[in-house]
């Protein structure tokens, strides 16, 4: 499930993901919000674990210009899996939301 965050810094669009999320789900959600300069996606504790799909969808959003910068916030125990999928091209992985917000607003 993908839900829009109720509170996010100005100029930033935020999503929370939980349960089973596929790349196409991310693409559809971002398309409904796009274009956005800064996209913040936070993984909820009840995320089902298709990290490659989630990261793939975020990479695609950055590549296709739906978001200029994308930050993914994951629990520490998921950080290795998320970064293994690759960072770059405006996409980064963080373990805390404040770090992600700082990078997005820089």
């Amino acid at each position: 499930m993908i839900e829009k965050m109720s509170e996010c810094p100005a100029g930033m669009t935020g999503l929370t993901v939980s349960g089973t999320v596929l790349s196409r789900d991310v693409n559809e959600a971002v398309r409904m919000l796009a274009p956005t300069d800064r996209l913040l996606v936070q993984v909820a504790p009840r995320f089902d674990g298709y990290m490659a799909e989630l990261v793939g969808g975020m990479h695609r959003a950055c590549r296709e210009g739906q978001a200029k910068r994308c930050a993914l916030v994951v629990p520490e125990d998921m950080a290795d899996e998320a970064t293994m999928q690759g960072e770059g091209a405006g996409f980064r992985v963080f373990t805390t939301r404040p770090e992600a917000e700082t990078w997005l607003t820089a």
Side-chain angles (χ1 to χ4, degrees), residues 55-74:
V55 171
M58 291 187 69
H59 272 294
R60 186 173 178 186
C62 285
R63 244 190 351 263
E64 293 180 355
Q66 294 170 335
K68 292 181 181 176
R69 296 184 104 180
C70 300
L72 175 63
V73 181
V74 298

Side-chain angles (χ1 to χ4, degrees), residues 43-98:
V43 172
R46 55 195 187 281
F47 180 69
D48 207 348
Y50 287 111
M51 189 62 70
E53 290 281 329
L54 174 58
V55 171
M58 291 187 69
H59 272 294
R60 186 173 178 186
C62 285
R63 244 190 351 263
E64 293 180 355
Q66 294 170 335
K68 292 181 181 176
R69 296 184 104 180
C70 300
L72 175 63
V73 181
V74 298
E76 282 195 35
D77 63 335
M78 294 182 188
D80 288 342
E81 181 181 3
T83 55
M84 186 178 4
Q85 306 302 320
E87 293 182 309
F91 172 76
R92 294 238 355 238
V93 176
F94 299 89
T95 56
T96 68
R97 185 170 166 176

